[in-house]
Amino acid sequence: MRRALFIVALLMLGSCATAPTRINDVCAVFDQRDGWFNSWHGAAKSTEREFGVPVPILMATVYTESGFNARAKPPRTKLLGFIPWKRASTAFGYSQALDGTWTRYQSETGRWYARRNDFGDAIHFIGWYHAKSHQVNGIALNDTYNLYLAYYLGHAGYSKGLGRTNAQAQQAARRAANMAMKYAAQMQACGR
């Protein structure tokens, strides 16, 4: 009995440590992470119910931010062109949330135990942030492009119109919007 429990525990830990494969297919992502204790589809649906942000938009945000890598971080800058130096920001985890924004999320939601490398917590954060974008900037909850622009630039940056001149933000927002459309069609086809 102990051996069986040990093997189950190892399998559960091993499945959490690596990013899912086939991330271009949201149904495959959900199939790969549909466990008893850690159902990604369940977490995404719960967030959709709470904040009104559709699952394809939530998942497209994770796809664009981290590629479903729980430990994603921005690359290090280089000192003198070759010495690894500081990271460009404190972004971390599935949502690539910054330290300060994550702390604000924990404070406002009371989810002090939440971690950026836990999918359920990260998807909840994304739903919370997109709902804030709706409240602060008046962005429709089904407008992936502008929700992502506000996510990328921050609420203040979005309201100042920084997205109109930031080609990198526009490109990322287009990628998120295209993936959300693709994910929506896939979810309809697989009955999720």
Side-chain angles (χ1 to χ4, degrees):
M1 180 68 171
R2 280 186 177 165
R3 179 178 276 167
L5 287 174
F6 179 73
I7 291 171
V8 168
L10 281 178
L11 288 172
M12 286 174 49
L13 288 173
S15 68
C16 295
T18 59
T21 58
R22 298 179 51 210
I23 62 173
N24 290 323
D25 181 346
V26 74
C27 297
V29 170
F30 286 146
D31 288 344
Q32 292 170 75
R33 296 295 189 265
D34 194 19
W36 289 333
F37 302 109
N38 191 19
S39 170
W40 284 16
H41 183 253
K45 285 299 285 183
S46 175
T47 299
E48 178 184 60
R49 283 190 299 275
E50 183 174 351
F51 295 109
V53 181
V55 169
I57 294 174
L58 297 168
M59 296 299 285
T61 303
V62 177
Y63 172 92
T64 307
E65 284 294 298
S66 67
F68 298 96
N69 179 353
R71 301 208 162 279
K73 295 179 184 178
R76 291 188 178 277
T77 57
K78 303 285 185 193
L79 181 65
L80 302 174
F82 67 95
I83 301 170
W85 197 240
K86 299 176 183 177
R87 297 191 188 278
S89 75
T90 61
F92 176 72
Y94 292 111
S95 63
Q96 289 294 282
L98 301 172
D99 288 353
T101 311
W102 189 260
T103 300
R104 190 174 117 222
Y105 158 75
Q106 289 177 309
S107 174
E108 288 187 19
T109 62
R111 294 172 62 116
W112 294 106
Y113 58 86
R115 297 171 319 182
R116 291 179 281 181
N117 63 344
D118 178 278
F119 181 82
D121 294 335
I123 203 81
H124 190 266
F125 168 84
I126 292 168
W128 169 83
Y129 197 92
H130 286 337
K132 288 279 185 197
S133 296
H134 173 69
Q135 292 169 356
V136 172
N137 301 111
I139 303 169
L141 293 175
N142 62 354
D143 181 352
T144 310
Y145 181 86
N146 283 296
L147 286 173
Y148 190 83
L149 268 184
Y151 193 87
Y152 187 100
L153 300 167
H155 296 131
Y158 181 86
S159 64
K160 291 176 186 173
L162 298 180
R164 290 190 292 271
T165 58
N166 188 324
Q168 188 174 355
Q170 292 171 4
Q171 181 182 13
R174 277 192 301 275
R175 189 167 56 249
N178 290 337
M179 190 53 69
M181 285 191 304
K182 184 176 180 179
Y183 279 177
Q186 290 168 348
M187 286 180 67
Q188 190 171 23
C190 74
R192 289 283 190 160

